[in-house]
Amino acid sequence: MKRIDSPKKLEDIRKEIIGARDPDKPCITICSGTGCRAFGSENVTESFRKELKKHGLEETIDVRTTGCHGFCEKGPVVVINPHGIFYQKVSPKDTNEIITETLLNNKVIERLLYTHPETGQKIVKESEIPFYKGQMRVIFGNNGKIDPTSIDDYIAIGGYSALSITLTDYSPVEIIEIIKKSGLRGRGGGGFPAGVKWESCRNAAGNKHYVICNADEGDPGAYMDRSLLEGNPHSVLEGMIIGAYAIGSDEGYIYVRNEYPLAVRNVEIAIASLKECGLLGENILGSGLNFDIKVSRGGGAFVCGESSALVASLEGRVGEPRAKHIHRVESGIWDQPTNLNNVETWANVPLIINKGVDWYTSIGTEGSKGTKIFSLVGKVNNTGLVEVPMGMNIKEIVYEIGGGIPEGRKLKAVQTGGPSGGVIPESLMDVPVDFDRLTDVGSMMGSGGMIVMDDKTCMVDTAKYFMNFLRGESCGKCTTCREGTQRMYEILEAISNGDGKEGDIELLEELSWAVAEGSLCALGQTAPNPVLSTIRYFRDEYEAHIKEKRCPAGVCKALITYSIDEENCTGCGACKKVCPVEAITGEKKELHTIDPDKCIRCGACMAACNFDAVKVV
Amino acid sequence: MDHKCIDKILEKYGHQESSIIAILQDLQEEENYLPENDLAYISENLPIPLTRIYRIATFYNAFNLTPRGKYPVSVCMGTACHVRGAPMVFDRVRLELGIDIGGVTEDGLFSLETVNCLGACALGPIVVIGKEYHGNMTPAKVESTIKKYRKRIAKEK
Ligand SMILES: Cc1cc2nc3c(=O)[nH]c(=O)nc-3n(C[C@H](O)[C@H](O)[C@H](O)COP(=O)(O)O)c2cc1C
Ligand code: FES
């Protein structure tokens, strides 16, 4: 890579890269995000390369491995450009046919197309699939267009032009003004105005200012940050360099979750290529800006996503939060002014500079501007990552983009905000995604987890699940958090075991108050939310567990029994075969029965039955 | 681990105390867990009190103080996987391997751990065996998947 030492050089190189590329040249793009990899996309790529070689087409057809397209459910995803033909669930067996039919003969392979679940219609183009149609993919959309390990790809789509504009046309204070006017709020959970934070950090006294990217993504059930870092690391890095200029920092860190090896790898590759061409290091683009970024891997502790715990971890200590009256922007890493922002927050920065404040503020609601990426998962047909304009309501996201609930079941609630958030019941599905409105209904925006729950999800179990998570992840520093979450878990466990007592709900509410009031950091302060919100909207379900010893959703093991329906059972023996404890008896073609004393309620028989004969009561 | 190899790791991080987490991560990558002797060696040579190393090694979920199996089995217990039946999958894995969290099978092949989200939630419930992801798991699929590994291992032998 040549050195890029001035804005002009950047534009020259951009022209050179684009000029050397033929936009009409056929290109096979294969998603290589973690989801598609898990479905075997690496084998698909290898097979494409082999087949192209066999046909002698390596020069005429390009192969590009890209970041996550978002529609992970349908992986491995392959898009054939320039026409944008979308193939789903592609396997190495299909690659030869795709080359000979689609690329050489312009024929679409019906079998690999996406089928509209309601109309049965086959859809050819990615952009026309309902999952993508309702989205506004201004941050996430480039993932599918570029190879994340290629800086050329990023430059070709306009990469680092925002940095170039920043350094030539604006002073640091002007950049802060732009970010403030854009209304950009932190995407990591708190929703704090980014420009205001930058300004305080810039104005804080210290020998050295730091900027940090929070890629700890601890919310279980959310993976937006992972996919952005994996799929388009340069957009995050560009945001950080602009931030460093505005704040007056010469050193930055990216704190990445240990469980994300591919994100670590792609970011490290991106940083190495930036250093090589001079976009990181000394005198960036000849502007006099010096800035360097280091990658630090986390140790797998949820609390380390909290700003002061993250700083402690970066310094090589255990991740225990510090008191909030010490402001991080004034005294962060090594007690120096430190500005921490989330991955997605950083990725918004180049977009705002490029497109301008007017454009950016035209998207979203009064108090929440721009788009938000959600991880739409759980009991929903189209699971994956979705980017929507702020203000879209949850119903639209679940039904129009998500395609509704599988197996024709009923939507019960949507959980947002991770362990600090809450459940939003079906009756409130009209609530828009907006920082303040979500807080009003007892949940929160959080970092972007959106977990869809159907009528087979038990709310006591959900609360117990989060409390189990939180008692394990509490760092143990504050007694209220350490003991309170433990005690709340024990009460919830007793309720789900059928040992709930009259007064337990009130006790949970009282403990909630103590935990929230008595804890230092937001982990403890928000820990009761999953319990309070489930009590608020599903109190009757708690009461059914406590008073009637019944789990209406059929989840809590101690309160359910499995049985086989006489009418539906065909005596096929599928259930008997999968039962790990030999609790099922019955002759072939005759009614089978389950011995409740032997049954461990593992659910294997239910999953194995093709006739809907296994019931839970 | 060979002391020379540990020296190399310490070298890589410039003997910086603040890099202790990264040092332990590198050690674990090589050794699969954090052997007691190696921690003592690091403590002497970084230098950093051994108690501090243990405080860190026990605080962060990423570290293991006992050897893991050749194929660590980790079941995702994240929210997305949970609502799609991860607890049932976990129970079945436990039954199939005959070990609990932190345990290792007698033949040393498998060990069991849980993780709070692997960031591939669309494929939930997920079980990772060694480095391979297995998505859309059901209790029944657990049995056949582990059998497959056992067969593969037997073949390798
Ligand atoms: C327990 C806890 C965990 C958190 N985890 C994360 C996380 O994984 N990623 C993140 O960006 N912010 C996380 N936060 C929020 C951060 O403390 C901080 O507010 C955020 O990174 C600031 O960036 P933003 O303003 O761009 O959102 C967490 C907060 C708490 C209290
Ligand atoms: S919840 Fe299991 S991968 Fe995210």
Side-chain angles (χ1 to χ4, degrees), chain A residues 117-118 376-382 394-395 397-400 402-414 426 429 451-457:
Chain A
E118 276 150 34
L376 184 64
V377 293
K379 303 280 188 67
V380 58
N381 276 317
N382 303 333
I394 295 186
K395 194 191 253 161
I397 299 178
V398 172
Y399 286 101
E400 270 151 50
I405 318 299
E407 295 165 27
R409 302 207 74 90
K410 215 176 141 296
L411 172 69
K412 184 168 180 179
V414 169
E426 206 261 337
M429 281 300 117
I451 291 129
V452 183
M453 301 173 164
D454 67 5
D455 52 0
K456 278 168 101 181
T457 314

Side-chain angles (χ1 to χ4, degrees), chain B residues 64-100:
Chain B
N64 293 78
L65 289 166
T66 47
R68 295 193 291 168
K70 186 165 172 220
Y71 296 92
V73 178
S74 87
V75 184
C76 178
M77 296 304 237
T79 321
C81 289
H82 180 90
V83 301
R84 287 197 183 174
M88 289 181 173
V89 169
F90 174 71
D91 283 349
R92 190 59 183 264
V93 174
R94 207 162 47 170
L95 192 80
E96 215 53 54
L97 295 177
I99 50 175
D100 224 315

Side-chain angles (χ1 to χ4, degrees), chain A residues 220-223, chain B residues 76-82 115-122 124-126:
Chain A
Y223 64 113
Chain B
C76 178
M77 296 304 237
T79 321
C81 289
H82 180 90
V115 46
N116 296 317
C117 189
L118 293 152
C121 320
I126 298 190

Side-chain angles (χ1 to χ4, degrees), chain A residues 186-192 197 214 216-219 225 302-303 305-307 340-343 345 521-523:
Chain A
R187 303 295 197 243
F192 192 80
K197 198 193 276 184
N214 190 345
D216 198 43
E217 194 157 59
D219 175 359
D225 294 350
F302 173 66
V303 73
E306 194 276 339
S307 56
L340 174 73
N341 278 122
N342 166 265
V343 172
T345 315
C521 85
L523 188 147

